[in-house]
Amino acid sequence: MADIVSLREGLAELVSDGDLVAMEGFTHLIPVAAGQELIRQRRKDLTLARMTPDIVYDQLIGAGCARKLIFSWGGNPGVGSLHRFRDAVEHGWPAPLEIEEHSHAGMANRYVAGAAGLPFAVLRGYVGTDLPKHTENIKPIECPFTGEQLTAVPALNPDVTVVHAQRADSHGNVQLWGITGVQKEAVLAAKRSLVTVEEVVPELTPRAGAIVLPSWAVTAVAEVPGGARPSYAQDYYERANTSYQEWDAISRDRERFQEWLADQVYGAEVKS
Amino acid sequence: MVDKRMTGADVISRLRSGMTIGIGGWGSRRKPMSLVREILRSDLRDLTIVSYGGPDVGLLCAAGKVRKLVFGFVSLDSIALDPHFRATRQAGAIDVVELDEGMLQWGLYAAGLNLPFLPTRAGLGSDVLTHTPELRTVIDPYDGDELVAMPALPLDAAVVHMNRADEHGNAQFLGPDPYFDDLFCMAAEQAFVSCERIVPTAEFTEVAHPATLRISRMMVTGVVEAPGGARFTSCVPDYERDEELQREYAAAAADDEAWQAFAGRYLREALA
């Protein structure tokens, strides 16, 4: 059964230095407040997994929390490069960053295999790309019936998965809707999980297109209203496009980024 | 949107002898019996049937329609073994591929994904591999574990019975279990849904949770309104299994005279 916790207590309890942490949310419901709380707790040597690392991981990488990134696309969506990510890869600042690059379908299949308790997933993917040359854990596998060459990627089982959702009930059942991405699979594949939610309500009412993560599949739930800002939470708030645009200037310059960190993260109150 | 309503005769006109046909439902529960009876009355023969079998399998075997059966089990629930299927199998009259239930599910799922196989642990440590020599195993290219390679089970056609459908092919189950009807439809070139009642689309979610909409029009070729179409199997909450008729069906396996009497009474001129 999921515990209802504060964000600070929940992350302090669940995430240790060196863990493999997945923070998912595809454009929508990105757990930004949780990412900033990990920075505030000064976690180190994390391996960060995420299909689409955007500003949430740029911040963690720039703050020196990450040792490695497992991903399939990285960028500031609609704006350009992630400058903290580039600085880490190109100059090792503030720490070197190892990268493991996959395709979107490969990452999704890795979570699905992890959630199913299977050691690997099979897909038609990566063919005709250079990714297998650069990423060790993309291997060919032959169909024993047809002889067709397919691709096998290993299950991804995070130590901790963190996602954001619209609602939970007081028992810790979680409901999310809109673009649900791979959040369900990433939570089910993880050893431990924390879900930040817009609100805890007495009872979850059915909604078309919504999925429910049952309480027994979730370790902890923290009520963090606005926890996905500046991304959006459908039916709660819109995406703050200007924040993404402003991030470009903040993140281009090391000093300006460090001022932002001191002011907006280390100096800021924990949101919940 | 396309109006996909059709008759049972329309369904039969789209089937050919020698086809592989998947039948939804589970044991003696929510079987598309009216469409099975249409097949019994037709000239179709040499069929490969894929089913979590109940009286659908027994009837088709008794009528000599089956060349090969791919199955997870064949049971009448309240009568453990279907005597018609038993007699056919004991006579060695059909080819069989007897699978673990999870393997059958995985084969349908692989076909729906358009993959030639999927790895699974279901079937390991059992005699399934011994008795089904066409199965293969596959080695995990990362850790070297041996898993069963479950070949895709693509279907030429699927027939399923649901509680409600709309004229476009969206369909809803109102009982406790969706079984694997959606996987049968996804695995099939053509999927035919019979239902207790065709309703306006908006009515689905007025009466039940949106998760009961297990089958979408994207998966469906034709919709047949067939009130009582699952009888004598159950179709809760519309009706329970007709246990008396099921006992009569089982007793009809006693000898040819009993079968002819049963067939004459319930299947009309089906079985000369």
Side-chain angles (χ1 to χ4, degrees), chain B residues 68-107:
Chain B
K68 182 178 174 182
L69 177 69
V70 181
F71 68 111
F73 58 81
V74 179
S75 172
L76 303 176
D77 295 340
S78 51
I79 297 170
L81 297 176
D82 180 302
H84 300 277
F85 167 65
R86 185 181 199 170
T88 302
R89 192 160 184 205
Q90 284 176 339
I94 57 170
D95 294 335
V96 291
V97 177
E98 181 168 8
L99 299 168
D100 173 277
E101 290 168 14
M103 296 170 79
L104 178 47
Q105 177 204 2
W106 221 225

mmCIF file of all heavy atoms in Angstrom, chain B residues 68-107:
data_model
loop_
_atom_site.group_PDB
_atom_site.id
_atom_site.type_symbol
_atom_site.label_atom_id
_atom_site.label_comp_id
_atom_site.label_asym_id
_atom_site.label_seq_id
_atom_site.Cartn_x
_atom_site.Cartn_y
_atom_site.Cartn_z
ATOM 1 N N LYS B 68 -7.197 -28.636 -37.244
ATOM 2 C CA LYS B 68 -6.162 -28.406 -36.244
ATOM 3 C C LYS B 68 -6.717 -27.490 -35.165
ATOM 4 O O LYS B 68 -7.462 -26.550 -35.461
ATOM 5 C CB LYS B 68 -4.948 -27.751 -36.915
ATOM 6 C CG LYS B 68 -3.769 -27.491 -35.997
ATOM 7 C CD LYS B 68 -2.622 -26.885 -36.821
ATOM 8 C CE LYS B 68 -1.467 -26.469 -35.931
ATOM 9 N NZ LYS B 68 -0.380 -25.836 -36.720
ATOM 10 N N LEU B 69 -6.329 -27.771 -33.927
ATOM 11 C CA LEU B 69 -6.786 -26.940 -32.808
ATOM 12 C C LEU B 69 -5.581 -26.413 -32.043
ATOM 13 O O LEU B 69 -4.687 -27.182 -31.664
ATOM 14 C CB LEU B 69 -7.673 -27.770 -31.861
ATOM 15 C CG LEU B 69 -8.158 -27.033 -30.606
ATOM 16 C CD1 LEU B 69 -9.158 -25.943 -30.978
ATOM 17 C CD2 LEU B 69 -8.782 -28.017 -29.616
ATOM 18 N N VAL B 70 -5.539 -25.105 -31.839
ATOM 19 C CA VAL B 70 -4.525 -24.462 -31.005
ATOM 20 C C VAL B 70 -5.260 -23.977 -29.761
ATOM 21 O O VAL B 70 -6.164 -23.144 -29.861
ATOM 22 C CB VAL B 70 -3.867 -23.271 -31.751
ATOM 23 C CG1 VAL B 70 -2.802 -22.621 -30.876
ATOM 24 C CG2 VAL B 70 -3.283 -23.724 -33.086
ATOM 25 N N PHE B 71 -4.884 -24.476 -28.576
ATOM 26 C CA PHE B 71 -5.745 -24.205 -27.419
ATOM 27 C C PHE B 71 -4.960 -24.121 -26.110
ATOM 28 O O PHE B 71 -3.869 -24.660 -25.983
ATOM 29 C CB PHE B 71 -6.834 -25.288 -27.323
ATOM 30 C CG PHE B 71 -6.334 -26.669 -26.959
ATOM 31 C CD1 PHE B 71 -6.637 -27.239 -25.741
ATOM 32 C CD2 PHE B 71 -5.584 -27.404 -27.865
ATOM 33 C CE1 PHE B 71 -6.198 -28.510 -25.415
ATOM 34 C CE2 PHE B 71 -5.136 -28.684 -27.547
ATOM 35 C CZ PHE B 71 -5.441 -29.239 -26.319
ATOM 36 N N GLY B 72 -5.551 -23.378 -25.165
ATOM 37 C CA GLY B 72 -4.997 -23.309 -23.815
ATOM 38 C C GLY B 72 -5.634 -24.352 -22.918
ATOM 39 O O GLY B 72 -5.021 -24.841 -21.972
ATOM 40 N N PHE B 73 -6.906 -24.653 -23.193
ATOM 41 C CA PHE B 73 -7.670 -25.697 -22.499
ATOM 42 C C PHE B 73 -8.967 -25.851 -23.265
ATOM 43 O O PHE B 73 -9.308 -24.994 -24.093
ATOM 44 C CB PHE B 73 -7.968 -25.315 -21.030
ATOM 45 C CG PHE B 73 -8.726 -24.027 -20.898
ATOM 46 C CD1 PHE B 73 -10.106 -23.987 -21.083
ATOM 47 C CD2 PHE B 73 -8.064 -22.835 -20.633
ATOM 48 C CE1 PHE B 73 -10.808 -22.792 -20.995
ATOM 49 C CE2 PHE B 73 -8.760 -21.629 -20.556
ATOM 50 C CZ PHE B 73 -10.135 -21.615 -20.742
ATOM 51 N N VAL B 74 -9.686 -26.938 -22.984
ATOM 52 C CA VAL B 74 -11.079 -27.038 -23.442
ATOM 53 C C VAL B 74 -11.883 -27.529 -22.256
ATOM 54 O O VAL B 74 -11.638 -28.620 -21.727
ATOM 55 C CB VAL B 74 -11.251 -28.008 -24.638
ATOM 56 C CG1 VAL B 74 -12.735 -28.072 -25.040
ATOM 57 C CG2 VAL B 74 -10.401 -27.565 -25.829
ATOM 58 N N SER B 75 -12.827 -26.722 -21.788
ATOM 59 C CA SER B 75 -13.598 -27.072 -20.596
ATOM 60 C C SER B 75 -14.979 -26.451 -20.683
ATOM 61 O O SER B 75 -15.160 -25.393 -21.290
ATOM 62 C CB SER B 75 -12.885 -26.565 -19.336
ATOM 63 O OG SER B 75 -13.720 -26.738 -18.214
ATOM 64 N N LEU B 76 -15.937 -27.129 -20.041
ATOM 65 C CA LEU B 76 -17.288 -26.573 -19.955
ATOM 66 C C LEU B 76 -17.525 -25.949 -18.577
ATOM 67 O O LEU B 76 -18.662 -25.689 -18.201
ATOM 68 C CB LEU B 76 -18.328 -27.655 -20.240
ATOM 69 C CG LEU B 76 -18.170 -28.363 -21.595
ATOM 70 C CD1 LEU B 76 -19.198 -29.493 -21.738
ATOM 71 C CD2 LEU B 76 -18.333 -27.375 -22.736
ATOM 72 N N ASP B 77 -16.485 -25.739 -17.808
ATOM 73 C CA ASP B 77 -16.565 -25.129 -16.481
ATOM 74 C C ASP B 77 -17.281 -26.047 -15.490
ATOM 75 O O ASP B 77 -16.630 -26.715 -14.707
ATOM 76 C CB ASP B 77 -17.237 -23.745 -16.514
ATOM 77 C CG ASP B 77 -16.423 -22.726 -17.308
ATOM 78 O OD1 ASP B 77 -15.221 -22.945 -17.506
ATOM 79 O OD2 ASP B 77 -16.993 -21.713 -17.720
ATOM 80 N N SER B 78 -18.634 -26.059 -15.540
ATOM 81 C CA SER B 78 -19.376 -26.890 -14.575
ATOM 82 C C SER B 78 -19.282 -28.373 -14.936
ATOM 83 O O SER B 78 -19.586 -29.237 -14.126
ATOM 84 C CB SER B 78 -20.836 -26.437 -14.520
ATOM 85 O OG SER B 78 -21.380 -26.369 -15.829
ATOM 86 N N ILE B 79 -18.877 -28.669 -16.155
ATOM 87 C CA ILE B 79 -18.523 -30.040 -16.562
ATOM 88 C C ILE B 79 -17.056 -29.933 -16.990
ATOM 89 O O ILE B 79 -16.730 -29.219 -17.941
ATOM 90 C CB ILE B 79 -19.402 -30.532 -17.736
ATOM 91 C CG1 ILE B 79 -20.869 -30.586 -17.293
ATOM 92 C CG2 ILE B 79 -18.924 -31.895 -18.239
ATOM 93 C CD1 ILE B 79 -21.853 -30.815 -18.432
ATOM 94 N N ALA B 80 -16.192 -30.618 -16.261
ATOM 95 C CA ALA B 80 -14.766 -30.317 -16.404
ATOM 96 C C ALA B 80 -14.257 -30.520 -17.836
ATOM 97 O O ALA B 80 -13.550 -29.673 -18.373
ATOM 98 C CB ALA B 80 -13.954 -31.151 -15.429
ATOM 99 N N LEU B 81 -14.617 -31.656 -18.435
ATOM 100 C CA LEU B 81 -14.099 -31.957 -19.771
ATOM 101 C C LEU B 81 -15.236 -31.963 -20.784
ATOM 102 O O LEU B 81 -16.318 -32.479 -20.512
ATOM 103 C CB LEU B 81 -13.406 -33.322 -19.777
ATOM 104 C CG LEU B 81 -12.177 -33.441 -18.873
ATOM 105 C CD1 LEU B 81 -11.645 -34.871 -18.911
ATOM 106 C CD2 LEU B 81 -11.084 -32.462 -19.297
ATOM 107 N N ASP B 82 -14.970 -31.413 -21.949
ATOM 108 C CA ASP B 82 -15.960 -31.461 -23.022
ATOM 109 C C ASP B 82 -15.867 -32.837 -23.681
ATOM 110 O O ASP B 82 -14.841 -33.170 -24.286
ATOM 111 C CB ASP B 82 -15.674 -30.353 -24.046
ATOM 112 C CG ASP B 82 -16.693 -30.369 -25.181
ATOM 113 O OD1 ASP B 82 -16.826 -31.411 -25.853
ATOM 114 O OD2 ASP B 82 -17.357 -29.340 -25.385
ATOM 115 N N PRO B 83 -16.930 -33.664 -23.582
ATOM 116 C CA PRO B 83 -16.825 -35.041 -24.083
ATOM 117 C C PRO B 83 -16.693 -35.140 -25.605
ATOM 118 O O PRO B 83 -16.124 -36.111 -26.110
ATOM 119 C CB PRO B 83 -18.115 -35.700 -23.591
ATOM 120 C CG PRO B 83 -19.044 -34.577 -23.300
ATOM 121 C CD PRO B 83 -18.215 -33.390 -22.938
ATOM 122 N N HIS B 84 -17.189 -34.143 -26.325
ATOM 123 C CA HIS B 84 -17.052 -34.170 -27.787
ATOM 124 C C HIS B 84 -15.597 -33.958 -28.193
ATOM 125 O O HIS B 84 -15.054 -34.664 -29.037
ATOM 126 C CB HIS B 84 -17.940 -33.095 -28.434
ATOM 127 C CG HIS B 84 -19.383 -33.252 -28.131
ATOM 128 N ND1 HIS B 84 -20.200 -34.104 -28.826
ATOM 129 C CD2 HIS B 84 -20.162 -32.684 -27.171
ATOM 130 C CE1 HIS B 84 -21.431 -34.049 -28.335
ATOM 131 N NE2 HIS B 84 -21.433 -33.192 -27.324
ATOM 132 N N PHE B 85 -14.981 -32.981 -27.573
ATOM 133 C CA PHE B 85 -13.564 -32.741 -27.844
ATOM 134 C C PHE B 85 -12.734 -33.943 -27.417
ATOM 135 O O PHE B 85 -11.819 -34.378 -28.122
ATOM 136 C CB PHE B 85 -13.110 -31.476 -27.098
ATOM 137 C CG PHE B 85 -11.616 -31.310 -27.059
ATOM 138 C CD1 PHE B 85 -10.897 -31.106 -28.226
ATOM 139 C CD2 PHE B 85 -10.924 -31.382 -25.852
ATOM 140 C CE1 PHE B 85 -9.508 -30.959 -28.191
ATOM 141 C CE2 PHE B 85 -9.545 -31.237 -25.812
ATOM 142 C CZ PHE B 85 -8.831 -31.031 -26.978
ATOM 143 N N ARG B 86 -13.087 -34.497 -26.263
ATOM 144 C CA ARG B 86 -12.350 -35.642 -25.758
ATOM 145 C C ARG B 86 -12.395 -36.805 -26.747
ATOM 146 O O ARG B 86 -11.370 -37.429 -27.051
ATOM 147 C CB ARG B 86 -12.980 -36.051 -24.425
ATOM 148 C CG ARG B 86 -12.258 -37.144 -23.710
ATOM 149 C CD ARG B 86 -13.023 -37.438 -22.439
ATOM 150 N NE ARG B 86 -12.187 -38.147 -21.489
ATOM 151 C CZ ARG B 86 -12.528 -38.370 -20.239
ATOM 152 N NH1 ARG B 86 -13.683 -37.927 -19.776
ATOM 153 N NH2 ARG B 86 -11.729 -39.031 -19.442
ATOM 154 N N ALA B 87 -13.589 -37.056 -27.268
ATOM 155 C CA ALA B 87 -13.742 -38.171 -28.220
ATOM 156 C C ALA B 87 -12.920 -37.912 -29.484
ATOM 157 O O ALA B 87 -12.240 -38.811 -30.006
ATOM 158 C CB ALA B 87 -15.226 -38.342 -28.582
ATOM 159 N N THR B 88 -12.943 -36.676 -29.951
ATOM 160 C CA THR B 88 -12.197 -36.333 -31.167
ATOM 161 C C THR B 88 -10.702 -36.493 -30.941
ATOM 162 O O THR B 88 -9.975 -37.032 -31.778
ATOM 163 C CB THR B 88 -12.519 -34.876 -31.573
ATOM 164 O OG1 THR B 88 -13.920 -34.764 -31.780
ATOM 165 C CG2 THR B 88 -11.782 -34.484 -32.844
ATOM 166 N N ARG B 89 -10.272 -36.052 -29.787
ATOM 167 C CA ARG B 89 -8.836 -36.113 -29.518
ATOM 168 C C ARG B 89 -8.394 -37.564 -29.298
ATOM 169 O O ARG B 89 -7.321 -37.966 -29.757
ATOM 170 C CB ARG B 89 -8.490 -35.250 -28.307
ATOM 171 C CG ARG B 89 -6.987 -35.089 -28.215
ATOM 172 C CD ARG B 89 -6.541 -33.925 -27.405
ATOM 173 N NE ARG B 89 -5.086 -33.846 -27.483
ATOM 174 C CZ ARG B 89 -4.327 -33.285 -26.573
ATOM 175 N NH1 ARG B 89 -4.855 -32.740 -25.508
ATOM 176 N NH2 ARG B 89 -3.022 -33.263 -26.731
ATOM 177 N N GLN B 90 -9.237 -38.319 -28.592
ATOM 178 C CA GLN B 90 -8.869 -39.723 -28.342
ATOM 179 C C GLN B 90 -8.819 -40.513 -29.648
ATOM 180 O O GLN B 90 -8.057 -41.450 -29.782
ATOM 181 C CB GLN B 90 -9.834 -40.354 -27.344
ATOM 182 C CG GLN B 90 -9.535 -39.889 -25.921
ATOM 183 C CD GLN B 90 -10.523 -40.415 -24.893
ATOM 184 O OE1 GLN B 90 -11.634 -40.807 -25.228
ATOM 185 N NE2 GLN B 90 -10.106 -40.399 -23.634
ATOM 186 N N ALA B 91 -9.635 -40.090 -30.604
ATOM 187 C CA ALA B 91 -9.620 -40.765 -31.912
ATOM 188 C C ALA B 91 -8.454 -40.290 -32.777
ATOM 189 O O ALA B 91 -8.256 -40.793 -33.889
ATOM 190 C CB ALA B 91 -10.954 -40.501 -32.629
ATOM 191 N N GLY B 92 -7.711 -39.307 -32.304
ATOM 192 C CA GLY B 92 -6.593 -38.774 -33.081
ATOM 193 C C GLY B 92 -7.054 -38.108 -34.362
ATOM 194 O O GLY B 92 -6.337 -38.093 -35.362
ATOM 195 N N ALA B 93 -8.282 -37.567 -34.340
ATOM 196 C CA ALA B 93 -8.886 -37.063 -35.573
ATOM 197 C C ALA B 93 -8.400 -35.680 -35.984
ATOM 198 O O ALA B 93 -8.640 -35.255 -37.113
ATOM 199 C CB ALA B 93 -10.419 -37.039 -35.418
ATOM 200 N N ILE B 94 -7.780 -34.954 -35.063
ATOM 201 C CA ILE B 94 -7.316 -33.595 -35.406
ATOM 202 C C ILE B 94 -5.872 -33.410 -34.933
ATOM 203 O O ILE B 94 -5.399 -34.105 -34.038
ATOM 204 C CB ILE B 94 -8.197 -32.503 -34.754
ATOM 205 C CG1 ILE B 94 -8.229 -32.664 -33.217
ATOM 206 C CG2 ILE B 94 -9.602 -32.513 -35.331
ATOM 207 C CD1 ILE B 94 -8.863 -31.519 -32.477
ATOM 208 N N ASP B 95 -5.195 -32.444 -35.566
ATOM 209 C CA ASP B 95 -3.887 -32.010 -35.060
ATOM 210 C C ASP B 95 -4.131 -31.055 -33.901
ATOM 211 O O ASP B 95 -5.089 -30.283 -33.930
ATOM 212 C CB ASP B 95 -3.111 -31.256 -36.143
ATOM 213 C CG ASP B 95 -2.733 -32.168 -37.308
ATOM 214 O OD1 ASP B 95 -2.635 -33.394 -37.078
ATOM 215 O OD2 ASP B 95 -2.568 -31.655 -38.427
ATOM 216 N N VAL B 96 -3.248 -31.119 -32.911
ATOM 217 C CA VAL B 96 -3.413 -30.194 -31.783
ATOM 218 C C VAL B 96 -2.094 -29.511 -31.443
ATOM 219 O O VAL B 96 -1.023 -30.092 -31.585
ATOM 220 C CB VAL B 96 -3.927 -30.912 -30.506
ATOM 221 C CG1 VAL B 96 -5.359 -31.367 -30.670
ATOM 222 C CG2 VAL B 96 -3.014 -32.050 -30.099
ATOM 223 N N VAL B 97 -2.223 -28.271 -31.029
ATOM 224 C CA VAL B 97 -1.117 -27.549 -30.394
ATOM 225 C C VAL B 97 -1.647 -27.112 -29.027
ATOM 226 O O VAL B 97 -2.492 -26.224 -28.927
ATOM 227 C CB VAL B 97 -0.679 -26.317 -31.212
ATOM 228 C CG1 VAL B 97 0.429 -25.558 -30.476
ATOM 229 C CG2 VAL B 97 -0.203 -26.738 -32.594
ATOM 230 N N GLU B 98 -1.178 -27.815 -27.991
ATOM 231 C CA GLU B 98 -1.702 -27.561 -26.647
ATOM 232 C C GLU B 98 -0.738 -26.644 -25.924
ATOM 233 O O GLU B 98 0.431 -26.988 -25.747
ATOM 234 C CB GLU B 98 -1.849 -28.883 -25.893
ATOM 235 C CG GLU B 98 -2.414 -28.694 -24.508
ATOM 236 C CD GLU B 98 -2.829 -30.014 -23.862
ATOM 237 O OE1 GLU B 98 -2.532 -31.075 -24.433
ATOM 238 O OE2 GLU B 98 -3.435 -29.950 -22.783
ATOM 239 N N LEU B 99 -1.222 -25.493 -25.530
ATOM 240 C CA LEU B 99 -0.358 -24.460 -24.979
ATOM 241 C C LEU B 99 -0.744 -24.103 -23.553
ATOM 242 O O LEU B 99 -1.901 -24.261 -23.150
ATOM 243 C CB LEU B 99 -0.438 -23.183 -25.837
ATOM 244 C CG LEU B 99 0.003 -23.319 -27.296
ATOM 245 C CD1 LEU B 99 -0.417 -22.077 -28.077
ATOM 246 C CD2 LEU B 99 1.510 -23.528 -27.393
ATOM 247 N N ASP B 100 0.226 -23.578 -22.824
ATOM 248 C CA ASP B 100 -0.058 -22.885 -21.589
ATOM 249 C C ASP B 100 -0.941 -21.669 -21.920
ATOM 250 O O ASP B 100 -0.785 -21.056 -22.980
ATOM 251 C CB ASP B 100 1.291 -22.446 -21.005
ATOM 252 C CG ASP B 100 1.166 -21.549 -19.797
ATOM 253 O OD1 ASP B 100 0.981 -20.328 -19.976
ATOM 254 O OD2 ASP B 100 1.266 -22.078 -18.685
ATOM 255 N N GLU B 101 -1.853 -21.311 -21.019
ATOM 256 C CA GLU B 101 -2.745 -20.174 -21.298
ATOM 257 C C GLU B 101 -1.962 -18.895 -21.602
ATOM 258 O O GLU B 101 -2.337 -18.101 -22.473
ATOM 259 C CB GLU B 101 -3.661 -19.923 -20.093
ATOM 260 C CG GLU B 101 -4.695 -21.007 -19.905
ATOM 261 C CD GLU B 101 -5.398 -20.901 -18.556
ATOM 262 O OE1 GLU B 101 -5.266 -19.853 -17.894
ATOM 263 O OE2 GLU B 101 -6.075 -21.864 -18.166
ATOM 264 N N GLY B 102 -0.877 -18.681 -20.852
ATOM 265 C CA GLY B 102 -0.074 -17.482 -21.055
ATOM 266 C C GLY B 102 0.635 -17.492 -22.400
ATOM 267 O O GLY B 102 0.834 -16.447 -23.016
ATOM 268 N N MET B 103 1.011 -18.674 -22.850
ATOM 269 C CA MET B 103 1.660 -18.766 -24.171
ATOM 270 C C MET B 103 0.674 -18.402 -25.277
ATOM 271 O O MET B 103 1.017 -17.697 -26.230
ATOM 272 C CB MET B 103 2.186 -20.181 -24.401
ATOM 273 C CG MET B 103 3.283 -20.590 -23.441
ATOM 274 S SD MET B 103 3.659 -22.360 -23.568
ATOM 275 C CE MET B 103 4.679 -22.364 -25.022
ATOM 276 N N LEU B 104 -0.551 -18.890 -25.139
ATOM 277 C CA LEU B 104 -1.569 -18.572 -26.146
ATOM 278 C C LEU B 104 -1.813 -17.063 -26.166
ATOM 279 O O LEU B 104 -1.864 -16.426 -27.231
ATOM 280 C CB LEU B 104 -2.855 -19.351 -25.836
ATOM 281 C CG LEU B 104 -4.076 -19.131 -26.730
ATOM 282 C CD1 LEU B 104 -3.744 -19.168 -28.201
ATOM 283 C CD2 LEU B 104 -5.153 -20.174 -26.418
ATOM 284 N N GLN B 105 -1.925 -16.483 -24.992
ATOM 285 C CA GLN B 105 -2.109 -15.029 -24.899
ATOM 286 C C GLN B 105 -0.955 -14.302 -25.599
ATOM 287 O O GLN B 105 -1.159 -13.360 -26.365
ATOM 288 C CB GLN B 105 -2.166 -14.611 -23.429
ATOM 289 C CG GLN B 105 -2.280 -13.105 -23.243
ATOM 290 C CD GLN B 105 -1.762 -12.628 -21.900
ATOM 291 O OE1 GLN B 105 -1.272 -13.410 -21.092
ATOM 292 N NE2 GLN B 105 -1.878 -11.343 -21.656
ATOM 293 N N TRP B 106 0.256 -14.754 -25.345
ATOM 294 C CA TRP B 106 1.447 -14.095 -25.889
ATOM 295 C C TRP B 106 1.515 -14.243 -27.402
ATOM 296 O O TRP B 106 1.954 -13.340 -28.103
ATOM 297 C CB TRP B 106 2.671 -14.683 -25.200
ATOM 298 C CG TRP B 106 3.749 -13.722 -24.809
ATOM 299 C CD1 TRP B 106 5.089 -13.911 -25.003
ATOM 300 C CD2 TRP B 106 3.638 -12.455 -24.145
ATOM 301 N NE1 TRP B 106 5.793 -12.845 -24.496
ATOM 302 C CE2 TRP B 106 4.936 -11.938 -23.972
ATOM 303 C CE3 TRP B 106 2.543 -11.700 -23.690
ATOM 304 C CZ2 TRP B 106 5.184 -10.699 -23.368
ATOM 305 C CZ3 TRP B 106 2.791 -10.471 -23.092
ATOM 306 C CH2 TRP B 106 4.093 -9.992 -22.937
ATOM 307 N N GLY B 107 1.071 -15.403 -27.910
ATOM 308 C CA GLY B 107 1.050 -15.619 -29.357
ATOM 309 C C GLY B 107 0.074 -14.688 -30.052
ATOM 310 O O GLY B 107 0.355 -14.139 -31.121
#
